[in-house]
Amino acid sequence: QFHDLIREFARRRAELDEPQGNRRAAERRLLGHYLSAAAHAHRTLYPGSLTADGIPSDDTVERVNFADGKQAKTWFDRERPNLVAAIHLAANQGYHEHAWRLTDAVSTFLDRHGFYDNSRTVRELSVLSARAVGDRVGEASSLVGLGMVQMILGDHADARTSLDAALRLVNDDGNKRGQARSEEHT
């Protein structure tokens, strides 16, 4: 973790010194790394739980492997602030496919370990990002997750709104699995 002034200085230097194409390529590599690592950590910790399909990534993205659940949990614990920041970066810079998929890979850990405020924040970004790319399955899944964390946080009216919106999406698409998942939470 860097002090905010150092981070701002580095950001400004990158804007001045690096062409935009290089900066965008670096952002995609960073997001690809976090998406790949988070998906693998999720599969290691929660082997029966499904996540969204990945995004083909650059061959230069370093792959992270976890020998066991303890190693995956340690990684999630250590990287949690960076993962939340990466989701913000993805959503704010238009990498919407990365934003909602990375949220999908991270949110189970956040929820099961009590990081509900982080979970709500990234799930809100996830809904917007899935909607921005027209991924209705991703949007519905993000809305269900958002509704669940809103219930945990006691925001019952907002939870109802999120879950009803998810149910409308899956009903409109005839998504039987999504209907069952949405209805079990309403």
Side-chain angles (χ1 to χ4, degrees):
Q1 296 291 331
F2 292 106
H3 188 280
D4 290 343
L5 290 174
I6 293 173
R7 186 175 313 132
E8 181 58 27
F9 175 77
R11 185 193 61 75
R12 183 71 178 132
R13 288 307 327 159
E15 285 177 359
L16 294 172
D17 298 341
E18 290 292 327
Q20 183 179 11
N22 290 356
R23 291 193 316 268
R24 299 285 289 176
E27 289 170 348
R28 282 190 300 277
R29 284 191 305 275
L30 173 79
L31 295 171
H33 163 75
Y34 275 124
L35 179 56
S36 173
H40 189 260
H42 181 275
R43 285 190 304 274
T44 302
L45 272 176
Y46 315 110
S49 178
L50 299 175
T51 59
D53 292 337
I55 297 173
S57 63
D58 188 326
D59 289 337
T60 62
V61 170
E62 182 180 335
R63 303 287 183 232
V64 177
N65 292 305
F66 304 99
D68 55 31
K70 181 179 179 191
Q71 197 176 54
K73 183 189 178 304
T74 298
W75 183 84
F76 267 134
D77 282 331
R78 185 183 67 240
E79 294 294 332
R80 181 178 53 85
N82 295 326
L83 290 161
V84 171
I87 293 166
H88 277 275
L89 171 75
N92 293 333
Q93 295 299 320
Y95 301 104
H96 297 297
E97 294 283 352
H98 286 86
W100 81 261
R101 282 179 165 83
L102 186 52
T103 297
D104 192 55
V106 170
S107 56
T108 300
F109 171 81
L110 295 175
D111 293 343
R112 291 191 182 180
H113 295 279
F115 300 109
Y116 301 121
D117 288 329
N118 285 156
S119 182
R120 177 180 48 206
T121 298
V122 298
R123 288 176 187 276
E124 288 168 346
L125 293 170
S126 179
V127 169
L128 296 174
S129 286
R131 188 176 296 147
V133 294
D135 192 312
R136 292 171 61 87
V137 172
E139 183 180 353
S141 176
S142 298
L143 282 163
V144 169
L146 177 59
M148 290 184 336
V149 79
Q150 288 167 326
M151 280 193 293
I152 291 168
L153 292 170
D155 300 332
H156 300 290
D158 288 341
R160 169 62 67 188
T161 299
S162 296
L163 293 169
D164 285 347
L167 189 56
R168 277 192 304 279
L169 280 170
V170 296
N171 282 339
D172 289 349
D173 292 346
N175 181 334
K176 299 295 185 199
R177 183 170 180 262
Q179 289 169 343
R181 185 160 183 239
S182 296
E183 289 174 353
E184 76 184 36
H185 297 293
T186 56

